[in-house]
Amino acid sequence: MTRPKSRLKDYERKRRFAITPEPRPKVTRRSARSGILQFVVQKHRASHLHYDFRLEWDGALLSWAVPKGPSLDPETKRLAMAVEDHPLEYADFEGIIPAGEYGGGTVMVWDQGTYVPDEPDVGKDWHQGEIKFTLQGRKLKGGWVLVRTGGATSRTWLLIKRRDAAAERGDSLLVRQPRSVVSKRLLAEIAFDEGGDVERAAAADPPDAIRALIRNPRTRRRVPHRTPAVWRSKSAGASTKRIGMS
Ligand code: MN
């Protein structure tokens, strides 16, 4: 694979960092915990709802957009479109990408954790179009595989759960566990806190969860103070600094 710096050119080219609160790639750095690889799944209500699936490799995050989100059912193959590599810092990004910017909308850290690849060279697996790995997340666990379809230049992959104790029939996970693993918020609550489009975000939350919130708004999750994992939008930047988050 090419070096992380050049791998992140597409990421940088697509974004205006004076406007979006998304992280600007820093000087190339390896994982702080050597040998441990992180993964993140971000629920992203952009022009279309999708789940961004990201695996750390060689100082950046290999990334796929999964329109229907991961399924725990090995019978269900989920389309995963390869997108540009993201900086490692992106794994902690939760908040609002301003309307009109690339990917404009609400982003939630839906799952986070570490992963172990079956084969040590994930870059080689990526080029060959098949990556097998085990997830140790809060929601996603066990064996998974990403398989590219349609040749070496294709951006089309499939994300599939492998058969093991963490597999299950059906597709209730996304409805059962709709909240952020870092802030416990629904998409609508993130949009509300960060000045995003609440109605658009709420349309991507499970209707039952939104109805419960409307029935009793006092159950609304507050922004967790002093949680470094949560990024705030630029408009909230001042207060963010004061309480020592960033
Ligand atoms: Mn996305």
Side-chain angles (χ1 to χ4, degrees):
M1 297 208 111
T2 51
R3 309 288 0 164
K5 189 70 188 166
S6 55
R7 285 168 60 197
L8 294 171
K9 268 194 199 135
D10 278 353
Y11 176 86
E12 280 195 283
R13 186 172 46 75
K14 291 177 180 197
R15 288 167 177 81
R16 297 190 289 174
F17 294 102
I19 298 171
T20 181
E22 294 165 289
R24 187 193 287 273
K26 292 195 185 126
V27 180
T28 301
R29 67 176 170 92
R30 296 271 176 165
S31 171
R33 304 154 298 172
S34 89
I36 295 180
L37 297 168
Q38 60 174 330
F39 86 96
V40 63
V41 183
Q42 280 154 319
K43 186 174 180 178
H44 184 184
R45 177 61 169 101
S47 51
H48 299 281
L49 172 66
H50 60 273
Y51 291 72
D52 288 300
F53 190 91
R54 311 189 197 280
L55 298 176
E56 174 181 355
W57 180 247
D58 197 22
L61 296 168
L62 303 171
S63 297
W64 292 261
V66 183
K68 291 188 175 175
S71 171
L72 298 183
D73 191 336
E75 299 284 333
T76 305
K77 299 172 171 59
R78 284 287 154 84
L79 176 67
M81 296 302 294
V83 298
E84 76 275 16
D85 291 350
H86 279 50
L88 289 180
E89 295 79 9
Y90 209 94
D92 293 326
F93 176 75
E94 178 170 284
I96 304 299
I97 301 171
E101 297 305 302
Y102 180 70
T106 306
V107 178
M108 170 200 289
V109 178
W110 183 80
D111 197 16
Q112 237 178 16
T114 60
Y115 82 97
V116 180
D118 283 22
E119 300 293 330
D121 191 344
V122 177
K124 188 175 157 201
D125 280 0
W126 191 92
H127 283 294
Q128 291 179 350
E130 183 172 279
I131 310 171
K132 289 181 173 163
F133 50 95
T134 300
L135 296 180
Q136 294 153 347
R138 305 271 290 279
K139 297 173 180 175
L140 302 181
K141 296 176 197 299
W144 294 76
V145 60
L146 275 157
V147 193
R148 188 169 55 220
T149 66
T153 59
S154 168
R155 298 181 78 81
T156 307
W157 295 62
L158 297 170
L159 174 66
I160 309 163
K161 181 77 191 73
R162 290 148 77 188
R163 288 175 201 284
D164 58 22
E168 64 176 46
R169 283 284 186 86
D171 270 313
S172 62
L173 175 73
L174 304 184
V175 174
R176 234 166 48 220
Q177 301 211 31
R179 292 178 179 274
S180 162
V181 292
V182 296
S183 70
K184 302 285 183 267
R185 292 178 294 179
L186 296 168
L187 271 180
E189 291 169 298
I190 295 167
F192 183 84
D193 289 338
E194 316 278 342
D197 186 332
V198 179
E199 196 174 347
R200 256 171 73 83
D205 286 316
D208 283 351
I210 293 299
R211 273 193 290 271
L213 189 59
I214 291 169
R215 269 199 304 276
N216 191 358
R218 267 184 263 181
T219 62
R220 168 170 102 73
R221 299 284 178 156
R222 302 296 169 145
V223 182
H225 291 284
R226 300 183 187 283
T227 303
V230 178
W231 287 67
R232 303 294 306 279
S233 59
K234 286 265 152 91
S235 60
S239 62
T240 298
K241 266 196 192 101
R242 227 173 14 248
I243 58 172
M245 293 169 36
S246 75

